[in-house]
mmCIF file of all heavy atoms in Angstrom:
data_model
loop_
_atom_site.group_PDB
_atom_site.id
_atom_site.type_symbol
_atom_site.label_atom_id
_atom_site.label_comp_id
_atom_site.label_asym_id
_atom_site.label_seq_id
_atom_site.Cartn_x
_atom_site.Cartn_y
_atom_site.Cartn_z
ATOM 1 N N ALA B 145 117.725 80.556 82.172
ATOM 2 C CA ALA B 145 118.749 81.565 81.898
ATOM 3 C C ALA B 145 119.016 81.649 80.395
ATOM 4 O O ALA B 145 119.070 82.744 79.819
ATOM 5 C CB ALA B 145 120.033 81.230 82.660
ATOM 6 N N ALA B 146 119.161 80.491 79.765
ATOM 7 C CA ALA B 146 119.464 80.493 78.334
ATOM 8 C C ALA B 146 118.308 81.108 77.543
ATOM 9 O O ALA B 146 118.509 81.950 76.666
ATOM 10 C CB ALA B 146 119.739 79.064 77.861
ATOM 11 N N GLY B 147 117.097 80.696 77.876
ATOM 12 C CA GLY B 147 115.939 81.223 77.160
ATOM 13 C C GLY B 147 115.794 82.722 77.320
ATOM 14 O O GLY B 147 115.536 83.452 76.352
ATOM 15 N N LEU B 148 115.995 83.198 78.529
ATOM 16 C CA LEU B 148 115.820 84.626 78.764
ATOM 17 C C LEU B 148 116.955 85.428 78.153
ATOM 18 O O LEU B 148 116.767 86.580 77.760
ATOM 19 C CB LEU B 148 115.710 84.894 80.267
ATOM 20 C CG LEU B 148 114.378 84.413 80.836
ATOM 21 C CD1 LEU B 148 114.390 84.406 82.346
ATOM 22 C CD2 LEU B 148 113.244 85.298 80.325
ATOM 23 N N HIS B 149 118.126 84.821 78.068
ATOM 24 C CA HIS B 149 119.235 85.556 77.456
ATOM 25 C C HIS B 149 118.976 85.771 75.968
ATOM 26 O O HIS B 149 119.293 86.839 75.426
ATOM 27 C CB HIS B 149 120.560 84.827 77.661
ATOM 28 C CG HIS B 149 121.754 85.706 77.426
ATOM 29 N ND1 HIS B 149 122.244 85.960 76.163
ATOM 30 C CD2 HIS B 149 122.529 86.429 78.269
ATOM 31 C CE1 HIS B 149 123.290 86.776 76.253
ATOM 32 N NE2 HIS B 149 123.475 87.084 77.521
ATOM 33 N N GLN B 150 118.385 84.797 75.343
ATOM 34 C CA GLN B 150 118.008 84.973 73.940
ATOM 35 C C GLN B 150 117.064 86.158 73.781
ATOM 36 O O GLN B 150 117.256 87.029 72.931
ATOM 37 C CB GLN B 150 117.306 83.712 73.427
ATOM 38 C CG GLN B 150 118.245 82.617 72.991
ATOM 39 C CD GLN B 150 117.515 81.621 72.096
ATOM 40 O OE1 GLN B 150 116.319 81.399 72.275
ATOM 41 N NE2 GLN B 150 118.231 81.032 71.150
ATOM 42 N N LEU B 151 116.025 86.175 74.639
ATOM 43 C CA LEU B 151 115.066 87.266 74.539
ATOM 44 C C LEU B 151 115.712 88.602 74.871
ATOM 45 O O LEU B 151 115.485 89.602 74.194
ATOM 46 C CB LEU B 151 113.882 87.001 75.481
ATOM 47 C CG LEU B 151 113.031 85.779 75.137
ATOM 48 C CD1 LEU B 151 111.919 85.585 76.150
ATOM 49 C CD2 LEU B 151 112.445 85.923 73.734
ATOM 50 N N ALA B 152 116.529 88.608 75.916
ATOM 51 C CA ALA B 152 117.162 89.859 76.338
ATOM 52 C C ALA B 152 118.086 90.383 75.240
ATOM 53 O O ALA B 152 118.153 91.593 75.001
ATOM 54 C CB ALA B 152 117.941 89.648 77.636
ATOM 55 N N SER B 153 118.785 89.492 74.566
ATOM 56 C CA SER B 153 119.678 89.940 73.500
ATOM 57 C C SER B 153 118.890 90.626 72.403
ATOM 58 O O SER B 153 119.302 91.671 71.877
ATOM 59 C CB SER B 153 120.442 88.744 72.916
ATOM 60 O OG SER B 153 121.272 88.177 73.911
ATOM 61 N N ALA B 154 117.752 90.039 72.063
ATOM 62 C CA ALA B 154 116.921 90.671 71.044
ATOM 63 C C ALA B 154 116.445 92.038 71.510
ATOM 64 O O ALA B 154 116.433 93.008 70.746
ATOM 65 C CB ALA B 154 115.731 89.770 70.729
ATOM 66 N N GLU B 155 116.079 92.128 72.780
ATOM 67 C CA GLU B 155 115.614 93.408 73.313
ATOM 68 C C GLU B 155 116.712 94.460 73.227
ATOM 69 O O GLU B 155 116.482 95.579 72.766
ATOM 70 C CB GLU B 155 115.184 93.238 74.772
ATOM 71 C CG GLU B 155 113.926 92.415 74.927
ATOM 72 C CD GLU B 155 113.637 92.092 76.386
ATOM 73 O OE1 GLU B 155 114.598 91.953 77.172
ATOM 74 O OE2 GLU B 155 112.455 91.985 76.729
ATOM 75 N N ILE B 156 117.874 94.104 73.692
ATOM 76 C CA ILE B 156 118.979 95.067 73.709
ATOM 77 C C ILE B 156 119.352 95.468 72.282
ATOM 78 O O ILE B 156 119.666 96.622 72.001
ATOM 79 C CB ILE B 156 120.195 94.458 74.440
ATOM 80 C CG1 ILE B 156 119.846 94.198 75.905
ATOM 81 C CG2 ILE B 156 121.395 95.378 74.339
ATOM 82 C CD1 ILE B 156 119.523 95.418 76.708
ATOM 83 N N ALA B 157 119.289 94.491 71.371
ATOM 84 C CA ALA B 157 119.635 94.795 69.985
ATOM 85 C C ALA B 157 118.688 95.824 69.387
ATOM 86 O O ALA B 157 119.053 96.561 68.492
ATOM 87 C CB ALA B 157 119.607 93.512 69.152
ATOM 88 N N HIS B 158 117.473 95.894 69.925
ATOM 89 C CA HIS B 158 116.488 96.808 69.359
ATOM 90 C C HIS B 158 116.534 98.199 69.975
ATOM 91 O O HIS B 158 115.782 99.075 69.565
ATOM 92 C CB HIS B 158 115.081 96.230 69.504
ATOM 93 C CG HIS B 158 114.729 95.247 68.434
ATOM 94 N ND1 HIS B 158 114.810 93.886 68.632
ATOM 95 C CD2 HIS B 158 114.328 95.404 67.152
ATOM 96 C CE1 HIS B 158 114.450 93.258 67.523
ATOM 97 N NE2 HIS B 158 114.151 94.154 66.609
ATOM 98 N N ILE B 159 117.352 98.423 70.971
ATOM 99 C CA ILE B 159 117.422 99.761 71.554
ATOM 100 C C ILE B 159 117.861 100.744 70.483
ATOM 101 O O ILE B 159 118.912 100.559 69.868
ATOM 102 C CB ILE B 159 118.417 99.801 72.739
ATOM 103 C CG1 ILE B 159 117.893 98.964 73.898
ATOM 104 C CG2 ILE B 159 118.641 101.242 73.199
ATOM 105 C CD1 ILE B 159 118.812 98.960 75.115
ATOM 106 N N PRO B 160 117.055 101.754 70.241
ATOM 107 C CA PRO B 160 117.448 102.727 69.208
ATOM 108 C C PRO B 160 118.598 103.577 69.722
ATOM 109 O O PRO B 160 118.668 103.881 70.909
ATOM 110 C CB PRO B 160 116.178 103.567 69.023
ATOM 111 C CG PRO B 160 115.433 103.421 70.298
ATOM 112 C CD PRO B 160 115.778 102.083 70.864
ATOM 113 N N THR B 161 119.499 103.938 68.827
ATOM 114 C CA THR B 161 120.665 104.704 69.257
ATOM 115 C C THR B 161 120.695 106.094 68.645
ATOM 116 O O THR B 161 121.545 106.901 69.004
ATOM 117 C CB THR B 161 121.970 103.974 68.866
ATOM 118 O OG1 THR B 161 121.855 103.561 67.504
ATOM 119 C CG2 THR B 161 122.197 102.773 69.742
ATOM 120 N N GLU B 162 119.755 106.380 67.740
ATOM 121 C CA GLU B 162 119.850 107.672 67.059
ATOM 122 C C GLU B 162 119.500 108.829 67.993
ATOM 123 O O GLU B 162 120.058 109.912 67.881
ATOM 124 C CB GLU B 162 118.971 107.716 65.804
ATOM 125 C CG GLU B 162 117.471 107.655 66.055
ATOM 126 C CD GLU B 162 116.976 106.233 66.278
ATOM 127 O OE1 GLU B 162 117.820 105.319 66.379
ATOM 128 O OE2 GLU B 162 115.761 106.029 66.363
ATOM 129 N N SER B 163 118.581 108.598 68.932
ATOM 130 C CA SER B 163 118.223 109.691 69.829
ATOM 131 C C SER B 163 118.255 109.208 71.270
ATOM 132 O O SER B 163 117.821 108.099 71.584
ATOM 133 C CB SER B 163 116.822 110.212 69.476
ATOM 134 O OG SER B 163 115.962 110.163 70.574
#
Side-chain angles (χ1 to χ4, degrees):
Chain B
L148 288 168
H149 197 278
Q150 277 198 328
L151 295 178
S153 296
E155 291 172 328
I156 296 297
H158 278 99
I159 293 180
T161 47
E162 67 279 8
S163 124

